[in-house]
Coordinates of all heavy atoms in Angstrom, one line a residue:
M5 N -1.1 -18.0 42.2 CA -2.5 -17.8 41.9 C -2.8 -17.8 40.4 O -2.3 -16.9 39.7 CB -3.0 -16.5 42.6 CG -4.5 -16.2 42.3 SD -4.9 -14.8 43.3 CE -6.2 -14.3 42.4
P6 N -3.5 -18.8 39.8 CA -3.8 -18.7 38.4 C -4.8 -17.6 38.0 O -5.8 -17.5 38.7 CB -4.3 -20.1 38.1 CG -4.8 -20.6 39.5 CD -4.0 -20.0 40.5
L7 N -4.7 -17.0 36.8 CA -5.6 -16.0 36.3 C -6.6 -16.8 35.4 O -6.2 -17.6 34.6 CB -5.0 -14.9 35.6 CG -4.0 -14.1 36.6 CD1 -3.1 -13.1 35.6 CD2 -4.7 -13.4 37.5
Q8 N -7.8 -16.3 35.5 CA -8.8 -16.8 34.5 C -9.3 -15.8 33.7 O -9.7 -14.7 34.2 CB -9.9 -17.5 35.3 CG -9.5 -18.8 36.2 CD -10.7 -19.4 36.9 OE1 -11.8 -18.7 36.9 NE2 -10.5 -20.5 37.5
A9 N -9.5 -16.1 32.4 CA -10.0 -15.2 31.4 C -11.4 -15.2 31.5 O -12.0 -16.2 31.3 CB -9.4 -15.3 30.1
T10 N -12.2 -14.0 31.5 CA -13.5 -13.9 31.5 C -14.1 -13.5 30.2 O -15.2 -13.5 29.8 CB -14.1 -13.0 32.5 OG1 -13.5 -11.8 32.4 CG2 -13.8 -13.6 33.9
Y11 N -13.1 -13.1 29.2 CA -13.5 -12.6 27.9 C -13.1 -13.7 26.9 O -12.1 -14.3 27.1 CB -12.9 -11.3 27.6 CG -13.3 -10.2 28.6 CD1 -12.5 -9.8 29.6 CD2 -14.6 -9.7 28.5 CE1 -12.9 -8.8 30.6 CE2 -15.0 -8.7 29.4 CZ -14.2 -8.2 30.4 OH -14.6 -7.4 31.2
A12 N -13.8 -13.8 25.8 CA -13.4 -14.7 24.7 C -12.1 -14.2 24.1 O -12.0 -13.0 23.9 CB -14.5 -14.8 23.7
V13 N -11.3 -15.1 23.6 CA -10.1 -14.7 23.0 C -10.4 -14.4 21.4 O -11.2 -15.3 20.8 CB -9.0 -15.9 23.0 CG1 -7.7 -15.5 22.3 CG2 -8.7 -16.0 24.5
A14 N -9.9 -13.4 20.9 CA -10.1 -13.1 19.4 C -9.5 -14.0 18.5 O -8.4 -14.6 18.8 CB -9.7 -11.7 19.1
S15 N -10.2 -14.3 17.5 CA -9.5 -15.3 16.4 C -8.5 -14.5 15.8 O -8.4 -13.3 15.6 CB -10.6 -15.8 15.4 OG -11.2 -14.7 14.8
P16 N -7.5 -15.2 15.2 CA -6.4 -14.6 14.4 C -6.9 -13.9 13.2 O -7.9 -14.4 12.6 CB -5.4 -15.7 14.2 CG -6.2 -17.0 14.3 CD -7.3 -16.7 15.2
T17 N -6.2 -13.0 12.7 CA -6.7 -12.3 11.4 C -6.4 -13.3 10.3 O -5.5 -14.0 10.3 CB -5.8 -11.0 11.2 OG1 -4.4 -11.5 11.1 CG2 -6.0 -10.0 12.2
P18 N -7.2 -13.1 9.3 CA -7.1 -14.0 8.1 C -5.9 -13.9 7.4 O -5.4 -12.7 7.3 CB -8.3 -13.7 7.3 CG -8.7 -12.3 7.7 CD -8.4 -12.2 9.1
T19 N -5.3 -14.9 6.8 CA -4.1 -14.8 5.9 C -4.5 -14.2 4.5 O -5.6 -14.0 4.2 CB -3.6 -16.2 5.7 OG1 -4.4 -16.9 4.9 CG2 -3.2 -16.9 7.0
V20 N -3.4 -13.8 3.9 CA -3.6 -13.2 2.6 C -4.3 -14.1 1.6 O -5.1 -13.7 0.9 CB -2.2 -12.7 2.0 CG1 -2.4 -12.2 0.6 CG2 -1.6 -11.7 2.9
S21 N -4.0 -15.3 1.6 CA -4.7 -16.3 0.7 C -6.2 -16.4 0.9 O -6.9 -16.7 0.0 CB -4.0 -17.6 0.8 OG -4.1 -18.2 2.1
E22 N -6.6 -16.1 2.2 CA -8.0 -16.1 2.5 C -8.8 -14.8 2.1 O -9.9 -14.9 1.8 CB -8.2 -16.4 4.1 CG -7.7 -17.8 4.5 CD -7.7 -17.9 6.0 OE1 -8.0 -16.9 6.7 OE2 -7.5 -18.9 6.5
T23 N -8.0 -13.7 2.2 CA -8.6 -12.5 1.9 C -8.6 -12.1 0.4 O -9.5 -11.4 0.0 CB -8.1 -11.3 2.7 OG1 -6.6 -11.3 2.4 CG2 -8.3 -11.6 4.3
A24 N -7.6 -12.5 -0.3 CA -7.4 -12.2 -1.7 C -7.0 -13.4 -2.5 O -5.8 -13.4 -3.0 CB -6.5 -11.0 -1.8
P25 N -7.8 -14.3 -2.7 CA -7.4 -15.6 -3.3 C -7.1 -15.4 -4.8 O -6.3 -16.1 -5.4 CB -8.5 -16.6 -3.2 CG -9.7 -15.7 -3.0 CD -9.2 -14.5 -2.2
T26 N -7.6 -14.4 -5.5 CA -7.4 -14.2 -6.9 C -6.2 -13.1 -7.2 O -6.0 -12.8 -8.3 CB -8.7 -13.7 -7.6 OG1 -9.1 -12.4 -7.0 CG2 -9.8 -14.8 -7.5
W27 N -5.6 -12.5 -6.2 CA -4.7 -11.4 -6.3 C -3.3 -12.1 -6.9 O -3.0 -13.2 -6.5 CB -4.3 -10.8 -5.0 CG -3.3 -9.8 -5.1 CD1 -3.5 -8.5 -5.7 CD2 -1.9 -9.9 -4.7 NE1 -2.3 -7.8 -5.6 CE2 -1.4 -8.6 -5.1 CE3 -1.2 -10.8 -4.2 CZ2 0.1 -8.4 -4.7 CZ3 0.2 -10.6 -3.8 CH2 0.7 -9.3 -4.2
N28 N -2.9 -11.5 -8.0 CA -1.7 -11.9 -8.8 C -0.6 -10.9 -8.6 O -0.8 -9.7 -9.1 CB -2.0 -12.3 -10.2 CG -0.9 -13.0 -10.9 OD1 0.2 -13.1 -10.3 ND2 -1.2 -13.4 -12.1
P29 N 0.6 -11.1 -8.1 CA 1.5 -10.1 -7.8 C 2.2 -9.6 -9.1 O 3.2 -8.7 -9.0 CB 2.5 -10.7 -6.8 CG 2.4 -12.1 -7.1 CD 0.9 -12.4 -7.5
V30 N 2.0 -10.2 -10.2 CA 2.7 -10.0 -11.5 C 2.1 -8.7 -12.0 O 0.9 -8.5 -12.1 CB 2.6 -11.0 -12.4 CG1 3.3 -10.7 -13.8 CG2 3.3 -12.3 -11.9
C31 N 3.0 -7.7 -12.4 CA 2.5 -6.5 -13.0 C 2.1 -6.6 -14.4 O 2.8 -7.3 -15.2 CB 3.7 -5.4 -12.9 SG 3.2 -3.8 -13.7
H32 N 1.0 -6.3 -14.8 CA 0.4 -6.3 -16.2 C 0.2 -5.0 -16.8 O -0.7 -4.9 -17.7 CB -1.0 -7.1 -16.1 CG -0.8 -8.5 -15.7 ND1 -0.2 -9.5 -16.4 CD2 -1.2 -9.2 -14.6 CE1 -0.2 -10.7 -15.8 NE2 -0.7 -10.5 -14.6
I33 N 0.9 -4.0 -16.4 CA 0.8 -2.7 -17.0 C 1.4 -2.6 -18.4 O 2.5 -3.2 -18.6 CB 1.5 -1.6 -16.2 CG1 0.7 -1.5 -14.8 CG2 1.5 -0.3 -16.8 CD1 1.5 -0.6 -13.8
T34 N 0.7 -2.3 -19.4 CA 1.3 -2.0 -20.7 C 1.6 -0.6 -20.9 O 0.9 0.2 -20.9 CB 0.2 -2.5 -21.7 OG1 -0.2 -3.8 -21.5 CG2 0.7 -2.4 -23.2
Y35 N 3.0 -0.4 -21.2 CA 3.5 1.0 -21.4 C 3.5 1.3 -22.9 O 3.7 0.4 -23.7 CB 4.8 1.0 -20.8 CG 5.0 0.9 -19.3 CD1 5.5 -0.4 -18.8 CD2 4.7 1.9 -18.5 CE1 5.5 -0.6 -17.4 CE2 4.7 1.7 -17.2 CZ 5.3 0.6 -16.6 OH 5.3 0.4 -15.3
T36 N 3.0 2.4 -23.3 CA 3.0 2.8 -24.6 C 3.7 4.2 -24.7 O 3.8 5.0 -23.8 CB 1.5 2.9 -25.1 OG1 0.8 3.9 -24.3 CG2 0.8 1.5 -25.1
R37 N 3.9 4.5 -26.0 CA 4.7 5.8 -26.3 C 3.7 6.9 -25.9 O 2.5 6.8 -25.9 CB 4.8 5.9 -27.9 CG 5.6 7.0 -28.3 CD 5.9 6.9 -29.8 NE 6.6 8.0 -30.2 CZ 6.1 9.1 -30.7 NH1 4.8 9.1 -30.9 NH2 6.9 10.1 -31.2
D38 N 4.3 8.0 -25.4 CA 3.6 9.2 -25.0 C 2.9 9.1 -23.7 O 2.0 9.9 -23.3 CB 2.6 9.7 -26.1 CG 3.2 10.1 -27.4 OD1 4.4 10.6 -27.3 OD2 2.7 10.1 -28.4
T39 N 3.2 8.1 -22.9 CA 2.7 7.9 -21.6 C 3.5 8.6 -20.6 O 4.7 8.5 -20.7 CB 2.5 6.3 -21.2 OG1 1.7 5.7 -22.2 CG2 2.0 6.2 -19.8
W40 N 2.9 9.3 -19.7 CA 3.6 9.9 -18.6 C 3.8 8.9 -17.5 O 2.8 8.4 -17.1 CB 3.0 11.3 -18.2 CG 3.1 12.4 -19.1 CD1 2.3 12.7 -20.1 CD2 4.2 13.4 -19.1 NE1 2.9 13.8 -20.8 CE2 4.2 14.2 -20.2 CE3 5.4 13.4 -18.2 CZ2 4.9 15.2 -20.4 CZ3 6.2 14.5 -18.5 CH2 6.0 15.4 -19.5
V41 N 4.9 8.7 -17.0 CA 5.2 7.9 -15.8 C 5.8 8.6 -14.7 O 6.4 9.6 -14.9 CB 6.1 6.7 -16.2 CG1 5.4 5.8 -17.3 CG2 7.5 7.2 -16.8
K42 N 5.7 8.1 -13.5 CA 6.2 8.7 -12.3 C 7.6 7.9 -12.1 O 7.6 6.7 -12.0 CB 5.3 8.2 -11.2 CG 5.5 9.2 -9.8 CD 4.9 10.4 -10.1 CE 4.4 11.0 -8.8 NZ 4.4 12.5 -8.9
L43 N 8.6 8.8 -11.8 CA 9.9 8.2 -11.6 C 10.3 7.9 -10.2 O 9.8 8.7 -9.3 CB 10.9 9.3 -12.1 CG 10.9 9.9 -13.6 CD1 12.0 10.8 -13.8 CD2 10.9 8.6 -14.6
L44 N 10.8 6.7 -9.9 CA 11.1 6.4 -8.5 C 12.2 7.2 -7.9 O 12.4 7.4 -6.8 CB 11.3 4.8 -8.5 CG 10.1 3.9 -8.9 CD1 10.5 2.6 -8.9 CD2 9.0 4.3 -7.9
E45 N 13.2 7.4 -8.8 CA 14.4 8.2 -8.5 C 14.6 9.2 -9.5 O 14.6 9.0 -10.7 CB 15.7 7.3 -8.4 CG 15.7 6.4 -7.2 CD 16.9 5.6 -6.9 OE1 18.0 6.2 -7.3 OE2 16.9 4.6 -6.6
L46 N 14.9 10.5 -9.1 CA 15.4 11.6 -10.0 C 16.6 11.5 -10.7 O 17.6 11.1 -10.1 CB 15.2 12.8 -9.3 CG 13.8 13.2 -8.6 CD1 14.0 14.6 -7.9 CD2 12.6 13.1 -9.6
P47 N 16.7 11.6 -12.0 CA 18.0 11.5 -12.7 C 18.9 12.7 -12.3 O 20.1 12.5 -12.5 CB 17.6 11.6 -14.2 CG 16.2 12.0 -14.3 CD 15.6 11.8 -12.9
S48 N 18.4 13.8 -11.9 CA 19.2 14.8 -11.3 C 18.3 15.6 -10.3 O 17.1 15.4 -10.2 CB 19.6 15.9 -12.4 OG 18.6 16.7 -12.8
K49 N 19.0 16.3 -9.4 CA 18.2 17.0 -8.4 C 17.3 18.1 -8.8 O 16.5 18.5 -8.1 CB 19.2 17.6 -7.3 CG 20.0 18.6 -7.7 CD 20.9 19.0 -6.5 CE 21.9 20.1 -6.9 NZ 22.7 20.5 -5.8
Y50 N 17.4 18.5 -10.1 CA 16.7 19.7 -10.6 C 15.5 19.0 -11.6 O 14.8 19.8 -12.0 CB 17.5 20.6 -11.4 CG 18.6 21.3 -10.5 CD1 19.8 21.0 -10.7 CD2 18.2 22.2 -9.5 CE1 20.9 21.5 -9.8 CE2 19.1 22.7 -8.7 CZ 20.5 22.5 -9.0 OH 21.3 23.0 -8.1
A51 N 15.5 17.8 -11.9 CA 14.6 17.1 -12.8 C 13.2 17.0 -12.2 O 13.0 16.9 -10.9 CB 15.0 15.8 -13.2
Y52 N 12.2 16.9 -13.0 CA 11.0 16.6 -12.5 C 10.8 15.2 -12.1 O 11.6 14.4 -12.4 CB 9.9 16.9 -13.6 CG 9.5 18.4 -13.8 CD1 10.4 19.2 -14.4 CD2 8.2 18.8 -13.5 CE1 10.1 20.6 -14.6 CE2 8.0 20.2 -13.6 CZ 8.9 21.0 -14.2 OH 8.5 22.3 -14.4
D53 N 9.7 14.9 -11.4 CA 9.5 13.5 -10.8 C 8.7 12.7 -11.8 O 8.2 11.6 -11.5 CB 8.9 13.4 -9.4 CG 7.5 14.0 -9.4 OD1 7.0 14.7 -10.4 OD2 6.8 13.9 -8.4
E54 N 8.5 13.2 -13.0 CA 7.7 12.5 -14.0 C 8.5 12.6 -15.3 O 9.3 13.4 -15.6 CB 6.3 13.1 -14.2 CG 5.4 12.9 -13.0 CD 4.0 13.4 -13.3 OE1 3.8 14.2 -14.3 OE2 3.0 12.9 -12.8
G55 N 8.2 11.6 -16.3 CA 8.8 11.6 -17.5 C 7.8 11.1 -18.6 O 6.9 10.3 -18.3
K56 N 8.1 11.4 -19.9 CA 7.2 11.0 -21.0 C 8.0 9.8 -21.7 O 9.2 10.1 -22.2 CB 6.9 12.2 -21.9 CG 5.9 11.8 -23.0 CD 5.7 13.2 -23.7 CE 4.5 12.8 -24.7 NZ 4.3 14.1 -25.5
L57 N 7.3 8.6 -21.9 CA 8.0 7.6 -22.7 C 8.0 8.1 -24.2 O 7.0 8.4 -24.7 CB 7.2 6.4 -22.5 CG 7.0 5.8 -21.1 CD1 6.1 4.5 -21.2 CD2 8.3 5.5 -20.5
L58 N 9.2 7.9 -24.8 CA 9.4 8.2 -26.1 C 9.4 7.0 -27.0 O 8.7 7.0 -28.0 CB 10.7 9.1 -26.4 CG 10.7 10.3 -25.6 CD1 12.2 10.9 -25.9 CD2 9.7 11.4 -26.0
C59 N 10.3 6.1 -26.7 CA 10.3 4.9 -27.5 C 11.0 3.7 -26.6 O 11.7 4.0 -25.7 CB 11.1 5.0 -28.7 SG 12.8 5.5 -28.6
Q60 N 10.7 2.5 -26.9 CA 11.3 1.4 -26.2 C 12.6 1.0 -26.8 O 12.7 0.8 -28.0 CB 10.3 0.2 -26.3 CG 10.7 -0.9 -25.3 CD 9.5 -1.9 -25.1 OE1 8.5 -1.8 -25.8 NE2 9.6 -2.8 -24.2
E61 N 13.6 1.0 -26.0 CA 15.0 0.7 -26.5 C 15.1 -0.8 -26.5 O 15.7 -1.3 -27.3 CB 16.0 1.3 -25.6 CG 17.3 1.2 -26.1 CD 18.4 1.7 -25.2 OE1 18.5 1.2 -24.1 OE2 19.1 2.6 -25.6
S62 N 14.7 -1.5 -25.5 CA 14.8 -3.0 -25.4 C 13.6 -3.5 -24.7 O 12.6 -2.7 -24.4 CB 16.1 -3.4 -24.7 OG 16.1 -3.1 -23.4
G63 N 13.7 -4.8 -24.5 CA 12.5 -5.5 -23.8 C 12.1 -4.7 -22.4 O 11.0 -4.8 -22.0
N64 N 13.2 -4.3 -21.6 CA 12.9 -3.7 -20.4 C 13.3 -2.3 -20.2 O 13.2 -1.6 -19.1 CB 13.6 -4.6 -19.3 CG 13.0 -5.9 -19.1 OD1 11.8 -6.1 -19.3 ND2 13.8 -6.9 -18.7
T65 N 13.7 -1.7 -21.3 CA 14.2 -0.3 -21.2 C 13.5 0.6 -22.2 O 13.1 0.2 -23.2 CB 15.8 -0.2 -21.4 OG1 16.1 -0.6 -22.7 CG2 16.5 -0.9 -20.3
W66 N 13.3 1.9 -21.7 CA 12.6 2.9 -22.5 C 13.5 4.2 -22.5 O 14.2 4.4 -21.6 CB 11.4 3.3 -21.9 CG 10.1 2.4 -22.2 CD1 10.0 1.2 -21.5 CD2 9.1 2.5 -23.2 NE1 8.8 0.6 -22.0 CE2 8.3 1.4 -23.2 CE3 8.9 3.5 -24.1 CZ2 7.2 1.2 -23.9 CZ3 7.8 3.2 -25.0 CH2 7.0 2.2 -24.8
V67 N 13.4 4.9 -23.5 CA 13.9 6.2 -23.7 C 12.9 7.2 -23.1 O 11.7 7.1 -23.6 CB 14.4 6.8 -25.1 CG1 14.8 8.1 -25.3 CG2 15.4 5.7 -25.7
V68 N 13.2 8.0 -22.2 CA 12.2 8.8 -21.5 C 12.7 10.2 -21.6 O 13.8 10.5 -21.2 CB 12.0 8.3 -20.1 CG1 11.1 9.2 -19.3 CG2 11.6 6.9 -19.9
W69 N 11.7 11.2 -21.8 CA 12.1 12.5 -21.7 C 11.6 13.0 -20.3 O 10.4 12.9 -20.0 CB 11.5 13.4 -22.9 CG 11.6 14.8 -22.7 CD1 12.7 15.5 -23.0 CD2 10.7 15.8 -22.3 NE1 12.6 16.8 -22.9 CE2 11.3 17.0 -22.3 CE3 9.4 15.7 -21.8 CZ2 10.8 18.2 -21.9 CZ3 8.8 17.0 -21.4 CH2 9.5 18.2 -21.5
V70 N 12.5 13.7 -19.6 CA 12.3 14.1 -18.3 C 12.6 15.7 -18.4 O 13.5 16.2 -18.6 CB 13.2 13.6 -17.3 CG1 12.9 14.1 -15.8 CG2 13.1 12.1 -17.3
P71 N 11.4 16.5 -18.1 CA 11.6 18.0 -18.0 C 12.7 18.5 -17.2 O 12.9 17.9 -16.0 CB 10.2 18.5 -17.5 CG 9.2 17.4 -17.9 CD 10.0 16.0 -17.8
D72 N 13.4 19.4 -17.6 CA 14.6 20.0 -17.0 C 15.8 19.0 -16.8 O 16.6 19.2 -15.9 CB 14.2 20.6 -15.6 CG 13.5 21.9 -15.7 OD1 13.4 22.4 -16.7 OD2 12.8 22.3 -14.8
C73 N 15.7 17.9 -17.6 CA 16.9 16.9 -17.6 C 17.1 16.6 -19.0 O 18.3 16.4 -19.3 CB 16.4 15.8 -16.7 SG 17.8 14.5 -16.6
G74 N 16.2 16.3 -19.8 CA 16.4 15.7 -21.1 C 16.0 14.2 -21.3 O 15.2 13.8 -20.5
E75 N 16.7 13.6 -22.3 CA 16.3 12.2 -22.5 C 17.3 11.3 -21.6 O 18.4 11.6 -21.5 CB 16.7 11.9 -24.0 CG 15.6 12.5 -25.0 CD 15.9 12.1 -26.4 OE1 16.7 11.1 -26.6 OE2 15.1 12.6 -27.2
V76 N 16.6 10.4 -21.0 CA 17.4 9.3 -20.3 C 16.8 8.0 -20.6 O 15.7 7.8 -21.2 CB 17.2 9.5 -18.7 CG1 18.0 10.8 -18.2 CG2 15.8 9.6 -18.4
I77 N 17.6 7.0 -20.4 CA 17.3 5.6 -20.7 C 17.0 5.0 -19.2 O 17.7 5.0 -18.4 CB 18.3 4.8 -21.4 CG1 18.5 5.4 -22.7 CG2 17.9 3.3 -21.5 CD1 19.7 4.9 -23.6
L78 N 15.7 4.4 -19.1 CA 15.3 3.9 -17.8 C 14.8 2.5 -17.9 O 14.1 2.2 -19.0 CB 14.1 4.7 -17.2 CG 14.6 6.2 -16.9 CD1 13.2 6.9 -16.3 CD2 15.7 6.2 -15.9
D79 N 15.0 1.8 -17.0 CA 14.5 0.4 -16.9 C 13.0 0.4 -16.4 O 12.8 1.4 -15.7 CB 15.5 -0.5 -15.9 CG 15.0 -2.0 -15.9 OD1 15.4 -2.7 -16.9 OD2 14.3 -2.3 -15.1
H80 N 12.4 -0.6 -16.7 CA 11.0 -0.7 -16.1 C 10.9 -0.4 -14.6 O 9.9 0.1 -14.1 CB 10.2 -1.9 -16.5 CG 9.7 -2.0 -17.8 ND1 8.6 -2.7 -18.2 CD2 10.1 -1.5 -19.1 CE1 8.3 -2.5 -19.4 NE2 9.3 -1.8 -19.9
S81 N 11.8 -1.0 -13.9 CA 11.9 -0.9 -12.4 C 12.1 0.6 -11.9 O 12.0 0.9 -10.8 CB 13.0 -1.8 -11.8 OG 14.2 -1.5 -12.2
D82 N 12.5 1.5 -12.9 CA 12.7 2.8 -12.5 C 11.5 3.8 -12.5 O 11.7 4.9 -12.0 CB 13.7 3.5 -13.4 CG 15.2 2.7 -13.3 OD1 15.5 2.2 -12.1 OD2 15.9 2.7 -14.3
F83 N 10.4 3.3 -13.0 CA 9.2 4.1 -13.1 C 8.0 3.2 -12.9 O 8.0 2.1 -13.0 CB 9.2 4.9 -14.4 CG 9.2 4.1 -15.6 CD1 8.1 3.6 -16.1 CD2 10.4 3.9 -16.2 CE1 8.1 2.8 -17.2 CE2 10.5 3.1 -17.3 CZ 9.3 2.5 -17.9
Y84 N 6.8 4.0 -12.8 CA 5.5 3.3 -12.7 C 4.5 4.4 -13.2 O 4.6 5.6 -13.2 CB 5.1 2.8 -11.4 CG 5.1 3.9 -10.3 CD1 3.9 4.4 -10.0 CD2 6.2 4.2 -9.5 CE1 3.7 5.4 -9.0 CE2 6.1 5.2 -8.6 CZ 4.9 5.7 -8.3 OH 5.0 6.7 -7.4
C85 N 3.3 3.8 -13.7 CA 2.3 4.7 -14.2 C 1.5 5.2 -13.1 O 1.3 4.6 -12.1 CB 1.3 4.0 -15.3 SG 2.1 3.7 -16.8

């Protein structure tokens, strides 16, 4: 016995390109000295989850002061604003 639908079928959800055509996945955050950043992983189990940028060591790394840990060198992928 075939079943017949009496209700209209919902249209599919729009794709990402339809809902956000101007969205660009590239990060444009400009890090500057004295900025507090959120750490993705703690350098030690007693360290805070935030650190203060002291100076840029190279194109992708910063020297960061983390309370209860001291100075550490972190890559951009290790923190975010």
Side-chain angles (χ1 to χ4, degrees):
M5 173 174 159
L7 297 175
Q8 294 181 350
T10 57
Y11 299 101
V13 177
S15 62
T17 57
T19 63
V20 172
S21 63
E22 293 172 350
T23 58
T26 59
W27 180 73
N28 188 354
V30 177
C31 179
H32 295 289
I33 297 173
T34 303
Y35 296 102
T36 58
R37 187 175 181 266
D38 294 332
T39 301
W40 283 91
V41 294
K42 199 76 146 156
L43 305 179
L44 297 176
E45 290 187 32
L46 302 181
S48 76
K49 64 180 181 178
Y50 300 109
Y52 279 71
D53 63 345
E54 292 182 339
K56 186 176 184 178
L57 299 179
L58 298 178
C59 63
Q60 192 166 7
E61 184 185 63
S62 70
N64 290 331
T65 59
W66 281 82
V67 177
V68 180
W69 177 74
V70 180
D72 288 342
C73 181
E75 291 182 8
V76 292
I77 298 174
L78 298 177
D79 187 78
H80 277 215
S81 61
D82 296 330
F83 59 84
Y84 60 94
C85 285

